[in-house]
Amino acid sequence: MLKKIIIAMMAVTAISVVLILIMQWDVKQGVKNYTRTHPMTETLSSNASIDVYNTGKSFYQNLFKDIESAEQYVWIHFFIIRDDEVSQEFFDVLTKKAQTGVDVRLSVDFLGSDIHKESIKRLEKAGVKVTKSRPIKFKNIFYSLHHRNHRRLISIDESIAYIGGFNMGDEYLGKDPKLGYWRDYHIRLAGDAGKEVYKQFKKDWTEDGGESIKSAARPYTSTSSEGSVHFIFSTGDPLIERTIDWINEAETSVTITTPYFIPTNKLITALKDAVKRGVEVNILVPDDTDAWFTKPVSYRIEKSLLEEGVKLYLYQKGFFHGKVMVVDHAWADVGTANWDPRSFYLNDESNCIIRDEKVAKHLESLIENDMKDSEKLTMEAFDELPSWEKALQKTPPWLYYYF
């Protein structure tokens, strides 16, 4: 009996190893094939007035108001859409607007949606066009499973756009009993910049097999009070090199917020080099997380950064999900990309680069308030880790790829 058990275990182990090797090969091939035809896009600069939201309540209130005021187009992509109370309110707003003749399109990542079939039928019956982004394909199937459309793109009448970390669901209002209060960062853009989000949504929608789009660009008259922004739409590691450039160009300060912190060796080196040349580097991450397995593997990284003088803060008020970087108190990056391998290698991401000192300082002040609701990480904290977390620090780096 014991011999049979050992043989069975060996067989299971062998099969698992083979499947992992196949997955590794398939994912690498998928990344190579996809990124060859989908290079990173960095748009030209354009103008926009900018509003910042860091609570789900303020974000949803303004988004619903803009949808209700739309005249021609309401195009929305979320990575995650639940089928809960606030989602039903969202669906109601969309259906009412579609029934007035406005072109309403709703896209959600193929694996990120909890929308019930009944809700989709209700939306479509009212005239809302619905598609699921990045469906599973047989070719490079493992890559297809891991490759997600993590962008949040909202375009309303081409002149209003939203981009940032919020998705659609009650948890983003702090109603998740485990995570509690939810802090995130999202921006609203009004102006010429909205056209770039419009164009990227259209591109993704068509690629996902959505109904064809025929539209004419709407004119927009800029005002002198607006800031300059541009976008980066990425898939794969070009975003790493761009981020390294930003860090290397910093002269006084770099402030980073992210819910998951597993940077590459090149990014770690860039942060350490920045400190060595006198740049103040502050990093804010959540203490509690919705993905516990991402924390232990980041401890060694955090420890090495602390040793070099990087300041790390653990958010205590609830769950922190914002993806923001502010450089030299002068400009900022707000988007959907986390500091983890999925965002840097596997996901479709969207980032807005804001060349506006006033907005950058406003974001920095909001983050400083978040730091007041945080604990500063110390070297002593690593000695107090439970043994199972200490053991998981030695997780093989190749596994990070799928976190």
Side-chain angles (χ1 to χ4, degrees):
M1 177 63 72
L2 179 60
K3 184 178 180 180
K4 289 182 178 180
I5 293 174
I6 293 173
I7 292 173
M9 291 177 63
M10 291 176 64
V12 170
T13 301
I15 292 171
S16 298
V17 170
V18 170
L19 284 174
I20 289 171
L21 291 173
I22 292 173
M23 182 178 72
Q24 281 281 81
W25 178 86
D26 182 83
V27 169
K28 288 182 179 180
Q29 287 299 310
V31 169
K32 182 180 178 180
N33 294 334
Y34 188 85
T35 55
R36 184 174 60 247
T37 56
H38 297 75
M40 186 177 80
T41 300
E42 189 160 2
T43 71
L44 296 175
S45 296
S46 49
N47 295 323
S49 59
I50 304 163
D51 294 305
V52 179
Y53 308 113
N54 63 357
T55 66
K57 182 178 180 181
S58 61
F59 168 57
Y60 292 150
Q61 283 179 342
N62 284 277
L63 172 61
F64 292 175
K65 183 179 178 181
D66 280 335
I67 294 172
E68 289 168 350
S69 301
E71 297 177 356
Q72 285 189 288
Y73 310 116
V74 175
W75 296 355
I76 297 175
H77 170 79
F78 280 116
F79 174 56
I80 293 172
I81 300 181
R82 306 300 185 193
D83 203 320
D84 50 23
E85 186 176 351
V86 73
S87 299
Q88 287 298 323
E89 183 181 352
F90 172 59
F91 298 156
D92 287 342
V93 175
L94 294 180
T95 56
K96 289 177 182 177
K97 183 52 60 174
Q99 288 168 344
T100 68
V102 169
D103 183 359
V104 181
R105 298 172 189 263
L106 179 63
S107 167
V108 61
D109 180 75
F110 186 83
L111 297 180
S113 171
D114 292 336
I115 306 178
H116 301 155
K117 291 182 179 179
E118 292 76 13
S119 294
I120 293 177
K121 288 179 180 179
R122 179 166 72 91
L123 287 164
E124 292 178 334
K125 185 177 180 180
V128 178
K129 303 173 183 68
V130 182
T131 191
K132 292 193 174 181
S133 187
R134 307 306 184 245
I136 308 303
K137 298 179 180 179
F138 182 75
K139 183 179 180 180
N140 298 128
I141 189 169
F142 287 106
Y143 172 69
S144 182
L145 283 165
H146 287 288
H147 171 220
R148 302 287 87 225
N149 189 347
H150 198 242
R151 296 170 182 144
R152 289 83 155 153
L153 298 177
I154 298 176
S155 175
I156 298 174
D157 289 342
E158 294 185 52
S159 60
I160 295 174
Y162 287 83
I163 191 170
F166 280 111
N167 287 294
M168 181 58 61
D170 286 343
E171 67 210 70
Y172 305 99
L173 293 169
K175 295 182 179 181
D176 187 299
K178 293 182 179 179
L179 295 173
Y181 182 81
W182 188 289
R183 168 69 87 221
D184 219 321
Y185 281 80
H186 221 100
I187 55 173
R188 176 187 185 271
L189 306 164
D192 285 334
K195 294 180 181 179
E196 298 296 344
V197 173
Y198 171 92
K199 287 190 287 186
Q200 185 61 45
F201 178 95
K202 184 176 180 180
K203 181 179 178 181
D204 286 345
W205 178 274
T206 302
E207 186 166 323
D208 291 327
E211 183 178 329
S212 63
I213 298 175
K214 295 181 181 179
S215 58
R218 288 159 52 96
Y220 184 84
T221 304
S222 302
T223 63
S224 59
S225 63
E226 295 175 331
S228 174
V229 306
H230 73 275
F231 299 92
I232 292 178
F233 301 111
S234 64
T235 306
D237 57 7
L239 182 59
I240 296 177
E241 300 303 323
R242 199 71 187 89
T243 306
I244 290 172
D245 289 341
W246 294 332
I247 297 170
N248 290 340
E249 293 165 4
E251 297 179 355
T252 59
S253 67
V254 175
T255 298
I256 297 163
T257 74
T258 179
Y260 318 112
F261 188 65
I262 314 175
T264 65
N265 289 332
K266 287 185 177 181
L267 284 166
I268 295 168
T269 299
L271 291 171
K272 291 179 178 179
D273 288 346
V275 173
K276 289 176 183 177
R277 65 175 186 270
V279 175
E280 180 180 347
V281 178
N282 297 297
I283 300 173
L284 175 64
V285 297
D287 194 8
D288 293 326
T289 177
D290 62 343
W292 64 267
F293 45 84
T294 64
K295 288 192 67 178
V297 298
S298 70
Y299 292 150
R300 283 188 296 177
I301 297 169
E302 292 171 345
K303 190 174 182 179
S304 70
L305 290 173
L306 278 179
E307 290 172 341
E308 295 294 333
V310 174
K311 299 174 183 177
L312 287 117
Y313 298 85
L314 304 178
Y315 190 70
Q316 301 294 313
K317 190 175 179 180
F319 180 50
F320 191 96
H321 192 249
K323 308 103 168 27
V324 181
M325 182 161 71
V326 183
V327 179
D328 291 341
H329 318 291
W331 67 271
D333 166 24
V334 179
T336 64
N338 301 310
W339 275 59
D340 66 2
R342 280 196 169 275
S343 284
F344 287 131
Y345 292 115
L346 294 172
N347 289 341
D348 294 326
E349 301 288 359
S350 52
N351 290 63
C352 181
I353 314 305
I354 305 168
R355 299 286 179 176
D356 185 301
E357 187 173 339
K358 182 179 178 181
V359 175
K361 288 183 176 179
H362 176 53
L363 283 163
E364 209 164 31
S365 68
L366 293 174
I367 294 170
E368 286 173 358
N369 287 333
D370 291 333
M371 288 178 177
K372 294 176 183 177
D373 291 322
S374 306
E375 287 185 3
K376 196 171 182 180
L377 185 61
T378 63
M379 296 298 290
E380 290 74 20
F382 296 103
D383 296 327
E384 300 170 1
L385 292 172
S387 57
W388 68 270
E389 285 195 289
K390 289 181 180 179
L392 287 176
Q393 290 183 75
K394 300 178 181 179
T395 301
W398 65 267
L399 273 177
Y400 301 175
Y401 206 74
Y402 305 105
F403 286 5

